[in-house]
Amino acid sequence: MCIPSEREALLKVKHHLINPSNRLSSWNASLNSNCCQWVGVVCNNQTGHVVELHLHTSPFNPNEYWRPSWDILGHQEAYMRTQFGGEINPHLADLKHLNYLNLSGNDFRGMSIPSFIGIMTSLTHLDLSNARFIGKIPSQLGNLTNLLYLDLESDYFDPLFAESVDWLSNMSKLEYLDLGGANLSKSFHWLQILQALPSLRDLRLSECTLPNYNQPSLLNFSSLLTLDMSSVHYPFVPKWIFGLRKLVSLELWGNEIQGSIPDGIRNLTLLENLKLSSNSFSSSIPDWLYGFHHLMFLDLSSNNFHGIISDALGNLTSLVGLDLSDNQLEGAIPTSLSNLCNLKDIHFSSLKLNQQVSEILEILAPCISHGLSTLGAQSSQLSGNLTDQVGVFKNIDALQLSNNLIGGTLPRSFGKLSSITYLDLSGNQLRGNPFESLKSLSKLSYLEISDNHFQGVVKEGNLVNLKSLKEFIASGNKFYLKVGPNWLPTFQLTYLDMSGWQLGPTFPSWLQSQYNLDYLKLFKTEISNSIPTWFFEVFSQIRYVNLSHNHIHGELRTTLKKPISISTFDLSTNHLSGKLPYISNDDVYWLDLSRNSFSESMDDFLCKNQYKPMQLEFLYLASNNLSGEIPDCWMNWPFLVDVNLESNHFIGNLPPSMSSLALLQSLKIRDNSLSGIFPTIFKKTDKLLLLDLGENNLSGTIPTWIGEKLQDLKILSLRSNNFSGHIPNEICHKGLLQVLDLAQNNLFGNIPSCFNKLSSMNLGTSPLINSAAPNITYYPMQSVSVSVLLWLKGRGDEYRNFLGLVTSIDLSSNKLLGEIPRGLTDLNGLNFLNLSHNQLIGHIPPSIGNMGSLQVIDFSRNQLSGEIPSSISNLTFLSMLNLSYNHLKGKIPTGTQLQTFDASTFIGNNLCGPPLPVNCSSNEKNHTYNHNGKGSDKHGVNWFFVSMTLGFVVGFWIVIAPLFISRSWRYAYFNFLDDVWFKLQSLG
């Protein structure tokens, strides 16, 4: 029985704790007065005193789990529900005999480490790690002279700090110390203090902020065996480490160390664990490293090590874990690897192996096969076929061979991998029906075979033994699922992606049995009927559903009994009709109903049944039949970052409430019937990256305030409207602008000469432009790559994956005057330039050849004159050119590409030379060009043709005039012609 006073102390501690999952329900004296039987409490069997208190929450750390986990958020949410919070009552110190206290993994945010813990001198084990404590580490902890174990690891983004670690000096018994994440930048004597701890065996300083100390040290750390200085952002390996000859474990991963592994590490010959991953090493792997005969775990991943993998690797006969992935190593796995009979985990991912997969299996087969647990070799340029030799790896737990060039069919011997739980063969060239080989893997929980050439009929018998399957990803193949209408799978999935399978035409009824599903993707599966009512009942808690690109029809309003509550819901490209469905306020973050047949107003959807702000962040309703004015209640949708309403039938102007969308980053309302002036709501939406108002009936001028606002704007499309007036010079203030499309309006005046200030058209950018969601609970992505329809090569194409690399100016089909600004040619990063169908005059700028990134030029249908600048032949990336219907003259410059264009490129001018059929040499005889290609007269008058015309006129009237004057002459002339004609007929 526990001591009554200690029971009272525990109840007071519980009273001040926040306990959302009711983990401490057993702490109830009326139900059980023996506190020694309460959860987390351990008493001394003889005295009854409380000696241990386990109030920790075990966190889910995805970094400790090497397998890709789609459900990180789900684990985080479950973890947060079980955390303790609140305050730590000082009565905790009444437990005078407590020697073990663990409060790790909880959420005491805003609270400092209680200083009263310093009077609990009986403690030998104190763990306060990752409990969200803030502020200064109390020096009173130095009174805990009996401590053997102290863990104060904190969050790197909200770290604990200590101006000094002198308080550690009295802890002569301390064996384990973790100060991970702490800011010790002002503790200049930290190294001297720590090395003086005579019993210290394990020191962990991961992600600490430490003063720089890189001198050879006289400090000996006489008892230190383990040192973790990962992610302390040192650009070097501290020299004092080289003297720690007793070390058995050294972790320096996640720093900024460059060059080669320093020779000083070769002194640490007792090392069993060496982790140097995620640095910037750029040498070959040093030969001396292969002499570490005690080494059990070697991790050199995520560096720039180059060269071949040495055959000397086979000397490390104690190795249990080896990770060389994500380097520049190339060649082949050495055959000496077969000597490493203790290997359990091998990672060769993202290397340049250029090797047959069967060769690797043959090397590993002799003595490694029975002990091997993990083999990771994805993205390593492996080829060839998998052979029956794979069957000897009977104890393998995880096999990753994705994103290689492996072909052939799966051998039957896969069925012998009786222990495998994780299999990823995605992104290869495998064919046949894999389920004939996989159907007996009863322990398999994760199976990914997507993006291969698999095909065939999958029947119930192929799946019946896969009882442990939790995550099944098999998209990008050609499977046909043939099961009975009453089929009940033996597995319970949490993640399912069968995109590309033929599951239809009816909606798969067997999905009703998968009530644990959290992710469902049935993209393009030939489903042709409506969504059944049971779907929303069974999957009321599911968070991701993608049923897009099917033939699903019906009205969602009639199927739904309550608003949609699925976090990510994609029903795009189907045949759904009727009014838009209602959605839940709290649960929906992504909704895609585009490319359907939803009709009528969106007033109900947007404005009704909203008692608090909606959490939606991504809204896609494009290509439907929605009509009427856009409702004025956007103040209820404050978290929207991406809205697409294009290709509907909306009228009127944008409502004032859209100015409340302070987080909006992408707005597309192209191809509607909007009217009015340029919307003033954009004065307040200052985070916009993409704005597409094209193909509407907007009018008026482009406002000058656009240069002051929308400073983040990268894509602006106003094409095919009725805007008039000048292009405002203020648009040049948009330093991030990459795409400017003002085509097919009524703009007039000159092209602004300041366009050369659009600096983002000179700089390379990342391929993607992302709209980022502010809500950290959003799943599956917090950012989405935006897309837009652009007319860059004479046709409209959707750009997404490379949108960030596109730079374009399109001012075509307006009424622009004047010359092409010379400064425009400063934009040497511009890809597409279209100034066609205007009234531009003058010459093409001679420096146009400086625009080395141009792929498309269209200056057609203007009044440009002069010659084509010879520098245009420097544009080696040019794939489309149109200079037709201007007043250009002279010889077409010779270049590697210009002569490959069709003659229509230059038609409607006075040009000569290939690809035109007009020969410039004959042209010169008739046109008398001088060495500059201009006519001999300064005004360009060709007197040869003038004199020839006058001679013809004079000669004509000398002959004809007398015939009009004298009738006898006319008769004599026509009699003469009659005689000639008669003689010619006689000769015939």
Side-chain angles (χ1 to χ4, degrees):
M1 298 294 292
C2 70
I3 309 300
S5 61
E6 295 183 353
R7 179 175 60 239
E8 292 304 314
L10 290 173
L11 291 175
K12 291 175 181 177
V13 169
K14 175 189 176 182
H15 180 70
H16 285 82
L17 290 177
I18 296 175
N19 181 22
S21 60
N22 203 22
R23 286 169 57 192
L24 300 184
S25 58
S26 63
W27 289 32
N28 189 326
S30 61
L31 296 177
N32 184 358
S33 61
N34 186 1
C35 66
C36 295
Q37 296 177 351
W38 292 354
V39 170
V41 178
V42 177
C43 296
N44 184 295
N45 288 335
Q46 296 178 346
T47 66
H49 287 295
V50 176
V51 293
E52 295 184 14
L53 201 53
H54 299 261
L55 295 179
H56 61 285
T57 304
S58 299
F60 170 75
N61 185 356
N63 295 325
E64 294 178 355
Y65 192 57
W66 69 266
R67 299 176 180 181
S69 177
W70 66 274
D71 194 18
I72 292 175
L73 178 61
H75 290 284
Q76 287 175 336
E77 290 178 346
Y79 162 56
M80 292 168 65
R81 286 193 296 269
T82 58
Q83 284 181 303
F84 293 120
E87 298 180 1
I88 301 175
N89 192 294
H91 283 281
L92 180 66
D94 293 342
L95 304 175
K96 301 296 184 181
H97 298 272
L98 195 68
N99 57 55
Y100 183 104
L101 176 61
N102 190 345
L103 296 173
S104 65
N106 289 304
D107 188 4
F108 297 112
R109 72 180 71 188
M111 180 180 178
S112 300
I113 296 176
S115 58
F116 68 78
I117 292 180
I119 66 174
M120 302 175 68
T121 55
S122 60
L123 284 175
T124 61
H125 184 114
L126 177 61
D127 191 346
L128 304 178
S129 62
N130 297 303
R132 305 294 297 273
F133 289 115
I134 63 171
K136 186 177 181 180
I137 300 173
S139 59
Q140 288 87 344
L141 295 184
N143 297 328
L144 306 179
T145 55
N146 289 314
L147 274 185
L148 304 175
Y149 183 104
L150 176 61
D151 192 344
L152 300 178
E153 182 183 5
S154 58
D155 189 339
Y156 175 78
F157 297 102
D158 195 8
L160 296 168
F161 72 91
E163 295 180 355
S164 169
V165 291
D166 293 350
W167 49 272
L168 285 165
S169 301
N170 296 327
M171 296 186 179
S172 59
K173 299 180 181 179
L174 195 64
E175 297 178 359
Y176 180 101
L177 175 62
D178 191 340
L179 295 175
N183 186 342
L184 305 179
S185 59
K186 295 184 179 180
S187 182
F188 298 106
H189 302 292
W190 67 277
L191 193 57
Q192 289 80 357
I193 298 296
L194 295 181
Q195 71 88 29
L197 298 177
S199 303
L200 192 62
R201 297 165 58 88
D202 197 329
L203 176 60
R204 301 183 179 271
L205 302 172
S206 176
E207 296 186 336
C208 278
T209 304
L210 300 170
N212 194 339
Y213 186 85
N214 190 30
Q215 298 301 316
S217 178
L218 300 177
L219 313 174
N220 55 19
F221 277 99
S222 58
S223 57
L224 197 65
L225 301 178
T226 298
L227 176 63
D228 182 356
M229 290 186 63
S230 55
S231 295
V232 296
H233 303 296
Y234 275 5
F236 51 81
V237 178
K239 294 178 182 177
W240 57 266
I241 292 179
F242 304 152
L244 307 179
R245 296 178 181 270
K246 294 183 180 179
L247 275 186
V248 296
S249 177
L250 175 62
E251 297 192 17
L252 297 172
W253 55 270
N255 285 295
E256 301 163 5
I257 307 171
Q258 301 179 0
S260 58
I261 300 176
D263 282 347
I265 291 182
R266 70 193 304 172
N267 299 330
L268 312 181
T269 56
L270 299 180
L271 280 179
E272 298 176 2
N273 175 41
L274 178 60
K275 189 170 185 178
L276 301 177
S277 60
S278 302
N279 280 289
S280 299
F281 290 114
S282 56
S283 65
S284 58
I285 300 173
D287 290 337
W288 53 257
L289 187 59
Y290 302 120
F292 280 34
H293 299 298
H294 299 284
L295 204 58
M296 298 176 64
F297 300 95
L298 176 62
D299 187 351
L300 303 179
S301 62
S302 300
N303 280 287
N304 291 308
F305 288 114
H306 56 76
I308 63 171
I309 302 173
S310 173
D311 195 59
L313 182 63
N315 297 333
L316 302 179
T317 54
S318 297
L319 271 186
V320 174
L322 173 64
D323 194 344
L324 300 178
S325 57
D326 295 300
N327 279 289
Q328 301 300 317
L329 297 169
E330 55 188 351
I333 300 300
T335 57
S336 64
L337 201 68
S338 61
N339 300 332
L340 309 184
C341 297
N342 295 312
L343 269 178
K344 294 185 180 299
D345 297 305
I346 307 174
H347 297 278
F348 291 140
S349 302
S350 299
L351 301 179
K352 302 175 183 178
L353 297 181
N354 291 318
Q355 195 169 14
Q356 299 275 313
V357 65
S358 58
E359 293 178 13
I360 293 181
L361 296 178
E362 186 176 347
I363 292 170
L364 300 179
C367 71
I368 300 175
S369 57
H370 294 293
L372 191 65
S373 175
T374 300
L375 175 59
Q378 63 267 40
S379 304
S380 289
Q381 301 180 16
L382 298 179
S383 58
N385 298 345
L386 287 164
T387 64
D388 275 326
Q389 197 155 23
V390 74
V392 303
F393 297 88
K394 295 180 179 180
N395 294 314
I396 198 166
D397 174 64
L399 180 60
Q400 281 190 311
L401 297 174
S402 59
N403 298 313
N404 283 292
L405 302 171
I406 302 170
T409 59
L410 290 191
R412 292 276 185 177
S413 60
F414 254 99
K416 298 179 181 179
L417 305 182
S418 56
S419 298
I420 195 167
T421 64
Y422 185 101
L423 178 60
D424 186 356
L425 300 174
S426 61
N428 280 287
Q429 300 172 6
L430 294 161
R431 61 180 186 273
N433 190 336
F435 294 98
E436 295 297 327
S437 303
L438 302 177
K439 61 184 180 181
S440 61
L441 302 182
S442 59
K443 293 185 179 180
L444 196 62
S445 63
Y446 182 101
L447 175 60
E448 183 166 4
I449 54 174
S450 56
D451 300 318
N452 278 283
H453 302 312
F454 290 130
Q455 61 181 357
V457 176
V458 180
K459 301 179 180 179
E460 297 178 20
N462 298 127
L463 304 173
V464 67
N465 290 323
L466 302 180
K467 300 176 181 178
S468 302
L469 203 58
K470 300 293 183 185
E471 300 178 49
F472 181 36
I473 308 165
S475 58
N477 292 288
K478 295 181 179 179
F479 289 120
Y480 171 58
L481 183 64
K482 188 176 183 180
V483 295
N486 300 318
W487 177 56
L488 291 177
T490 56
F491 44 72
Q492 270 296 329
L493 299 174
T494 58
Y495 188 110
L496 174 61
D497 184 354
M498 298 177 72
S499 299
W501 287 51
Q502 186 174 337
L503 302 181
T506 60
F507 204 93
S509 59
W510 56 269
L511 284 175
Q512 295 181 75
S513 66
Q514 303 300 299
Y515 46 80
N516 287 331
L517 269 179
D518 206 30
Y519 184 107
L520 174 63
K521 188 173 183 180
L522 301 181
F523 167 93
K524 209 170 185 179
T525 53
E526 302 294 331
I527 299 174
S528 299
N529 61 349
S530 59
I531 300 176
T533 305
W534 59 257
F535 181 87
F536 294 101
E537 296 173 355
V538 171
F539 300 125
S540 60
Q541 302 299 317
I542 197 170
R543 285 182 298 150
Y544 181 98
V545 172
N546 185 343
L547 301 176
S548 65
H549 291 80
N550 284 288
H551 308 288
I552 300 171
H553 56 80
E555 298 186 13
L556 285 182
R557 284 277 189 100
T558 61
T559 305
L560 286 164
K561 294 183 178 179
K562 57 182 181 179
I564 294 171
S565 59
I566 300 169
S567 296
T568 300
F569 197 25
D570 189 346
L571 284 173
S572 62
T573 317
N574 279 287
H575 305 303
L576 295 162
S577 58
K579 286 188 174 183
L580 293 171
Y582 295 119
I583 67 172
S584 168
N585 297 71
D586 297 325
D587 304 312
V588 186
Y589 298 98
W590 171 302
L591 181 65
D592 191 347
L593 300 176
S594 57
R595 294 180 295 281
N596 278 283
S597 299
F598 290 105
S599 59
E600 301 186 44
S601 169
M602 61 183 297
D603 185 71
D604 277 0
F605 169 81
L606 206 67
C607 305
K608 292 186 178 180
N609 299 326
Q610 294 170 10
Y611 52 90
K612 62 180 181 179
M614 308 294 286
Q615 298 296 313
L616 194 71
E617 296 167 341
F618 300 88
L619 175 62
Y620 305 113
L621 300 175
S623 301
N624 280 286
N625 296 315
L626 301 172
S627 59
E629 293 191 353
I630 298 175
D632 190 20
C633 50
W634 293 88
M635 71 289 291
N636 298 326
W637 304 74
F639 298 106
L640 282 170
V641 299
D642 196 337
V643 176
N644 188 351
L645 303 177
E646 66 186 18
S647 298
N648 281 285
H649 307 294
F650 293 118
I651 61 173
N653 208 329
L654 299 185
S657 63
M658 288 193 85
S659 63
S660 64
L661 302 180
L663 301 176
L664 192 64
Q665 297 165 44
S666 175
L667 177 62
K668 294 187 290 186
I669 317 185
R670 181 188 62 82
D671 189 22
N672 279 282
S673 299
L674 299 178
S675 57
I677 63 171
F678 189 91
T680 57
I681 62 166
F682 297 122
K683 287 184 177 182
K684 296 183 179 180
T685 54
D686 57 0
K687 294 187 182 301
L688 267 178
L689 303 172
L690 186 154
L691 175 61
D692 187 354
L693 300 177
E695 299 178 64
N696 281 286
N697 298 315
L698 298 170
S699 57
T701 60
I702 300 174
T704 57
W705 55 257
I706 197 172
E708 302 172 8
K709 308 297 180 181
L710 308 180
Q711 287 301 310
D712 293 335
L713 198 65
K714 295 185 177 183
I715 313 292
L716 175 62
S717 178
L718 304 178
R719 72 179 292 124
S720 300
N721 278 284
N722 297 312
F723 289 113
S724 58
H726 292 76
I727 300 174
N729 286 327
E730 287 77 6
I731 211 165
C732 300
H733 299 162
K734 316 215 72 53
L736 298 178
L737 196 65
Q738 295 177 211
V739 174
L740 175 63
D741 189 348
L742 305 180
Q744 299 177 12
N745 281 284
N746 296 310
L747 301 170
F748 54 80
N750 294 337
I751 298 173
S753 59
C754 59
F755 271 3
N756 60 334
K757 295 181 180 179
L758 298 173
S759 55
S760 284
M761 296 189 182
N762 285 325
L763 305 174
T765 57
S766 62
L768 301 176
I769 296 178
N770 292 329
S771 54
N775 197 324
I776 61 172
T777 62
Y778 172 70
Y779 173 79
M781 293 172 291
Q782 291 183 349
S783 66
V784 175
S785 300
V786 300
S787 65
V788 68
L789 190 70
L790 298 177
W791 282 259
L792 301 180
K793 297 183 179 181
R795 64 179 187 273
D797 294 312
E798 191 84 10
Y799 285 78
R800 179 189 300 272
N801 293 335
F802 300 102
L803 180 59
L805 300 177
V806 173
T807 51
S808 169
I809 295 177
D810 191 345
L811 307 179
S812 62
S813 299
N814 281 287
K815 300 175 182 178
L816 298 173
L817 305 169
E819 298 187 352
I820 299 174
R822 299 277 176 126
L824 196 63
T825 62
D826 294 339
L827 300 178
N828 54 24
L830 190 67
N831 304 137
F832 305 92
L833 178 60
N834 191 345
L835 305 179
S836 65
H837 291 79
N838 281 288
Q839 300 170 26
L840 300 175
I841 61 173
H843 294 186
I844 297 173
S847 54
I848 194 169
N850 297 336
M851 305 177 74
S853 299
L854 274 178
Q855 301 175 37
V856 171
I857 299 176
D858 192 347
F859 292 164
S860 64
R861 305 281 179 175
N862 280 286
Q863 299 175 27
L864 300 173
S865 58
E867 293 185 324
I868 300 174
S870 59
S871 69
I872 202 169
S873 61
N874 298 334
L875 304 180
T876 55
F877 294 108
L878 205 60
S879 61
M880 180 177 170
L881 176 66
N882 193 349
L883 303 177
S884 62
Y885 299 102
N886 280 283
H887 303 310
L888 301 171
K889 64 180 181 179
K891 183 179 180 181
I892 296 171
T894 302
T896 56
Q897 286 181 282
L898 293 181
Q899 278 63 47
T900 65
F901 292 117
D902 190 82
S904 61
T905 295
F906 305 100
I907 196 172
N909 290 285
N910 191 19
L911 297 167
C912 63
L916 294 177
V918 181
N919 189 296
C920 289
S921 57
S922 61
N923 223 27
E924 288 175 2
K925 293 178 182 178
N926 294 330
H927 293 74
T928 62
Y929 284 100
N930 62 18
H931 68 282
N932 290 321
K934 298 180 180 179
S936 58
D937 187 89
K938 65 179 181 178
H939 298 295
V941 178
N942 195 317
W943 290 107
F944 173 81
F945 287 107
V946 172
S947 59
M948 186 176 68
T949 302
L950 287 173
F952 174 81
V953 171
V954 172
F956 178 83
W957 285 110
I958 288 174
V959 174
I960 298 300
L963 300 179
F964 280 97
I965 296 171
S966 174
R967 178 179 297 177
S968 60
W969 284 21
R970 283 202 299 273
Y971 286 157
Y973 181 71
F974 287 113
N975 283 331
F976 170 75
L977 292 179
D978 276 342
D979 290 339
V980 172
W981 178 247
F982 178 79
K983 290 178 180 179
L984 290 173
Q985 285 182 320
S986 300
L987 292 173

